[in-house]
Amino acid sequence: MDVDIGNALASVASPGVSRASLERLDERVADAHERIERGMANREHGYEALNLPERTDPDEIRAAVDPVADAEALLTVGIGGSSLGAATIANALEGVEPRSTGSRTESDGTETVFLDNVDPAWVSRKLASLPLEETAINVVSRSGTTAETLANFLVVRDAFESAGVDWTERTIVTTGDSGPLRDLADRHDLPSLKVPDGVPGRFSALSAVGMVAAAVCGHDLEALLEGAAAERESLSGSLFECPAYAYGATTYALDGRGAGTNAVMPYAESLETFAEWFAQLWAESLGKDELGQTPVRALGATDQHSQLQLYRAGPRDKLVTFLTVDDGPDRSIPETDVDDLAYLGDSTLGELLAAEFEATEASLAAAGRPNVRVELEAVDEYELGGLLYGMEAACVLAGELYRVNTFEQPAVEWAKKATRGLLGGGEFEEAEAVAEKTELRVER
Ligand SMILES: O=P(O)(O)OC[C@H]1O[C@](O)(CO)[C@@H](O)[C@@H]1O
């Protein structure tokens, strides 16, 4: 990935960061880079995620999915980091043929469904829509205890049993060394993969956690890892030489100058899920000690017609991160004899999308609103691996600059305990606090 931070400079944007400030910040980037390299070398918790391109074994993942390689549909049961990485990869690569086939399989059009919520009507609809006898189950939980995932898995198993389909023949488990899900995999002798040690869920897209779905779909796992490895090679002690650090340092600097919101706006429908993955990465990693930038999900060109008004004319508290793709399939716009629309007939949808992006970027710059451009050559395995790795490295760098503990998420635990207490899963004072809610009801 390449990054262009020109429209975030104080000479054109407010809030903005001056070149001199970036040069001063670069000294801290050099220190942070040393810390990150040390963490990687010592395989420390969290930093280990940046070693995944060399540690993940595609052959092991392909061997585990072999029993279900011909499935028509893949139902992934997981939540947060145990779903969003896999969904980002699967959704981005849907319909994309591998960059280099070699000994690898071609994409076979497997339908991918992600069960990452427990809304009963939605779960029932999803299950009813699937040909269960042709569906494989990919259940993922690092801890093996997450209530949403385990409950959904029990519901899915029950649906398979009711349909007379043996779920034990069709299930792959990815989890930690121990825990209820590991016990279950062992009890039923299910093919299983391990969530790598030292890798928090939101940083695990480039491990079995994110790559089982890609393997079942026949995507090029090696190219994903090669793209990530190339990004890893670009990590260096200066933000001016490393796109990932340029992004992490610029977002940090802008946040400190008032851009507390980061609206991530890919100009590619296939990258819409990427913005969701990014939101978890940024929010859970950096949102602590009363610090952190709020990630917002947007999509170009669609959200030009719903959110752009705010981004250009609302409070000066936002950074817009654009994602652009240089090359991809295109479709011409048919000619028309309506005079006012004639200009469209000389163009393609791709040209229109590119023009929409350039116009939007320029419109924000003209209004002095900070924005950053992240450029991909294409949406394929190699570029996607680079994007995921680059954003993880950007986040780790930002965490060093904020001086927060990037790899923990203690604030999420409170509601987990309260939920468990409410369902009778133990005595938790958090559950009692639920009953103490302050009310000021306004009724019709
Ligand atoms: O993989 P697990 O343990 O099921 O956790 C799922 C998600 O829940 C969290 O622990 C908290 O929401 C995330 O960090 C994680 O990605």
Side-chain angles (χ1 to χ4, degrees):
M1 81 182 186
D2 291 333
V3 169
D4 181 349
I5 57 173
N7 278 346
L9 293 177
S11 52
V12 291
S14 172
V17 55
S18 69
R19 174 94 201 192
S21 299
L22 282 176
E23 272 158 21
R24 279 194 299 278
L25 185 60
D26 211 26
E27 289 168 25
R28 289 189 60 204
V29 170
D31 292 345
H33 176 61
E34 263 183 42
R35 172 70 191 94
I36 292 168
E37 291 270 287
R38 200 169 58 248
M40 289 168 68
N42 296 336
R43 308 191 65 171
E44 288 176 48
H45 180 74
Y47 300 97
E48 171 71 350
L50 298 179
N51 291 322
L52 283 177
E54 67 215 49
R55 302 241 194 270
T56 300
D57 180 357
D59 288 332
E60 190 192 7
I61 297 172
R62 272 192 295 265
V65 308
D66 193 53
V68 298
D70 60 349
E72 273 177 31
L74 178 70
L75 180 61
T76 297
V77 184
I79 197 166
S82 287
S83 174
L84 288 169
T88 297
I89 295 171
N91 292 342
L93 298 178
E94 195 183 334
V96 172
E97 289 303 326
R99 177 180 268 222
S100 122
T101 46
S103 60
R104 301 153 200 159
T105 49
E106 301 244 333
S107 175
D108 56 6
T110 311
E111 184 192 0
T112 51
V113 173
F114 292 86
L115 224 46
D116 65 350
N117 202 348
V118 287
D119 179 319
W122 180 79
V123 169
S124 300
R125 241 185 4 258
K126 290 276 177 199
L127 283 171
S129 74
L130 287 168
L132 298 187
E133 63 289 353
E134 303 298 339
T135 298
I137 305 166
N138 172 31
V139 53
V140 191
S141 174
R142 183 180 205 281
S143 60
T145 59
T146 301
E148 294 89 336
T149 301
L150 274 293
N152 269 341
F153 184 41
L154 294 173
V155 167
V156 167
R157 280 170 44 172
D158 187 55
F160 272 66
E161 277 165 13
S162 303
V165 182
D166 183 355
W167 60 270
T168 64
E169 296 284 307
R170 319 197 57 75
T171 300
I172 305 153
V173 170
T174 303
T175 189
D177 271 336
S178 58
L181 194 53
R182 172 60 59 194
D183 295 345
L184 207 134
D186 291 346
R187 186 164 351 120
H188 295 282
D189 204 18
L190 304 176
S192 70
L193 289 156
K194 191 170 128 50
V195 178
D197 289 336
V199 179
R202 58 189 173 278
F203 288 91
S204 65
L206 294 165
S207 73
V209 173
M211 290 171 69
V212 162
V216 174
C217 293
H219 294 307
D220 187 340
L221 307 187
E222 278 80 356
L224 267 165
L225 296 171
E226 283 159 19
E231 209 62 40
R232 188 257 174 279
E233 284 306 304
S234 81
L235 299 186
S236 81
S238 170
L239 72 95
F240 298 104
E241 286 163 19
C242 169
Y245 287 170
Y247 185 74
T250 304
T251 52
Y252 164 78
L254 286 174
D255 184 17
R257 288 160 177 75
T261 296
N262 185 354
V264 175
M265 192 165 185
Y267 271 72
E269 194 74 26
S270 61
L271 294 176
E272 189 174 12
T273 316
F274 165 79
E276 286 187 43
W277 173 85
F278 178 92
Q280 184 198 5
L281 180 75
W282 226 240
E284 262 190 3
S285 303
L286 305 175
K288 41 203 68 156
D289 304 339
E290 305 199 355
L291 296 168
Q293 205 177 29
T294 304
V296 168
R297 283 119 65 163
L299 179 67
T302 311
D303 288 323
Q304 285 175 215
H305 301 275
S306 73
Q307 298 172 22
L308 185 59
Q309 171 66 36
L310 174 73
Y311 297 166
R312 192 172 196 263
R316 289 182 179 273
D317 60 355
K318 287 170 218 53
L319 156 70
V320 176
T321 298
F322 293 114
L323 259 90
T324 64
V325 181
D326 290 345
D327 204 16
D330 207 347
R331 187 170 182 132
S332 56
I333 303 172
E335 286 183 7
T336 166
D337 54 10
V338 178
D339 281 351
D340 280 353
L341 300 180
Y343 74 99
L344 289 176
D346 294 331
S347 308
T348 65
L349 287 180
E351 286 164 352
L352 176 58
L353 188 67
E356 299 268 10
F357 158 66
E358 282 176 22
T360 302
E361 183 188 52
S363 93
L364 291 179
R369 304 302 174 123
N371 59 89
V372 169
R373 193 200 282 198
V374 177
E375 299 165 353
L376 303 187
E377 281 177 26
V379 179
D380 62 15
E381 289 91 337
Y382 184 88
E383 289 289 299
L384 192 59
L387 175 68
L388 295 170
Y389 188 94
M391 286 303 178
E392 289 178 18
C395 182
V396 175
L397 185 269
E400 299 296 326
L401 298 175
Y402 282 109
R403 298 192 172 97
V404 294
N405 187 340
T406 309
F407 306 115
E408 304 295 340
Q409 57 289 325
V412 182
E413 295 308 315
W414 198 100
K416 279 190 183 173
K417 287 185 195 152
T419 306
R420 197 164 171 158
L422 290 175
L423 291 175
E427 291 290 319
F428 295 101
E429 62 185 67
E430 289 83 354
E432 283 151 35
V434 175
E436 290 159 16
K437 181 193 170 301
T438 306
E439 283 198 350
L440 200 168
R441 295 175 66 84
V442 180
E443 297 184 349
R444 188 156 57 98

